[in-house]
Amino acid sequence: KGTYLCAACGVELFSSEVKFDSGTGWPSFTEPKDKEMVQDVPDNSHGMRRTEATCGRCGSHLGHVFDDGPKKLPAGRPCTGKRFCINSVALKFKK
C-alpha cells in the first residue's frame, strides 16, 4: 500500500487503493488522488483519438486515459469507469 508519485517532480498522483489489473501490462488506476494533478490532453497522434494524461504540476507525459475501466474495485468501492493507463517509468512509489 502506498502512493504513486510523478517521477519527474514528485507530486502525488495515484493511491494504491485505486490500482487494478487491467490485463494490459501497464499500471492502471481508476482515478487520481487529486483531479487537478492529472490533466487530460487531447492526443490525435498515430492516427488515433486518445486522451493523454499529463502531470498537473510539471506537464510530464504519464500515459493515457480510457473509458473502459471497472465500475467497482474488488473491495466494492464504486469507480469512475475510467482506466488511467500509466507508463511505469513516469511513476515513483512511496510506501
Side-chain angles (χ1 to χ4, degrees), residues 13-21 27-33 35 65-66 68-74 77-86:
L13 298 173
F14 300 97
S15 167
S16 63
E17 292 179 2
V18 297
K19 187 172 188 278
F20 69 99
D21 183 0
S28 296
F29 305 88
T30 60
E31 62 189 355
K33 281 191 81 163
K35 292 178 183 172
V65 184
F66 302 97
D68 61 357
K71 301 298 182 211
K72 289 186 179 179
L73 288 172
R77 179 179 175 193
C79 298
T80 62
K82 300 284 185 188
R83 174 173 55 99
F84 289 80
C85 187
I86 306 300

Side-chain angles (χ1 to χ4, degrees), residues 44-60:
N44 297 314
S45 64
H46 308 292
M48 295 181 269
R49 296 184 80 166
R50 302 181 289 178
T51 301
E52 178 184 13
T54 62
C55 176
R57 179 190 280 170
C58 72
S60 291

